[in-house]
Amino acid sequence: MHVPTGSVSGTTTQDNGKYTIPNLRVGGPYSITFSYLGYKEQVVNNIFLTLGKTAEVNGTLTDSGETLDEIIISSSKNKIFNKDRTGSQTSISAVQLKILPTI
């Protein structure tokens, strides 16, 4: 987060654990938060960026020790979604068809 403006940018890590966040404002201060489900969040404050330089900020996540509960998602029968409708659809009446712009 860019502290003076409150603007927030985000990213996810690559397979090797590295990450990039391009096109950030020069200066700062920035506050960087490392987080992942089931781990304690780590915050690094007072990061300042220099034009043309890469800033390397590393974080280490530790297990939060919390047990994650299962999530159950259920739904009632919905008339809008069904197995016979597999794409988007728009119904246009004859009156609407006459007044729609054409080439």
Side-chain angles (χ1 to χ4, degrees):
M1 174 178 74
H2 187 246
V3 175
T5 62
S7 61
V8 177
S9 300
T11 190
T12 57
T13 60
Q14 301 165 8
D15 291 339
N16 60 5
K18 294 187 181 225
Y19 65 95
T20 58
I21 307 174
N23 303 319
L24 294 176
R25 296 175 188 212
V26 174
Y30 280 90
S31 175
I32 299 176
T33 303
F34 298 92
S35 64
Y36 191 73
L37 187 62
Y39 290 85
K40 290 180 185 174
E41 185 175 274
Q42 180 189 7
V43 179
V44 179
N45 293 308
N46 294 320
I47 304 297
F48 290 85
L49 303 178
T50 306
L51 183 62
K53 303 251 180 178
T54 300
E56 187 172 314
V57 180
N58 295 317
T60 304
L61 297 176
T62 56
D63 192 351
S64 68
E66 294 179 21
T67 303
L68 302 176
D69 293 330
E70 67 182 34
I71 298 173
I72 299 173
I73 300 172
S74 62
S75 160
S76 61
K77 187 174 181 179
N78 190 333
K79 294 180 182 179
I80 295 174
F81 296 105
N82 65 46
K83 64 180 179 169
D84 297 326
R85 294 181 63 183
T86 58
S88 60
Q89 173 182 330
T90 301
S91 298
I92 299 174
S93 69
V95 173
Q96 291 173 318
L97 188 58
K98 287 180 183 178
I99 62 173
L100 281 172
T102 61
I103 296 177

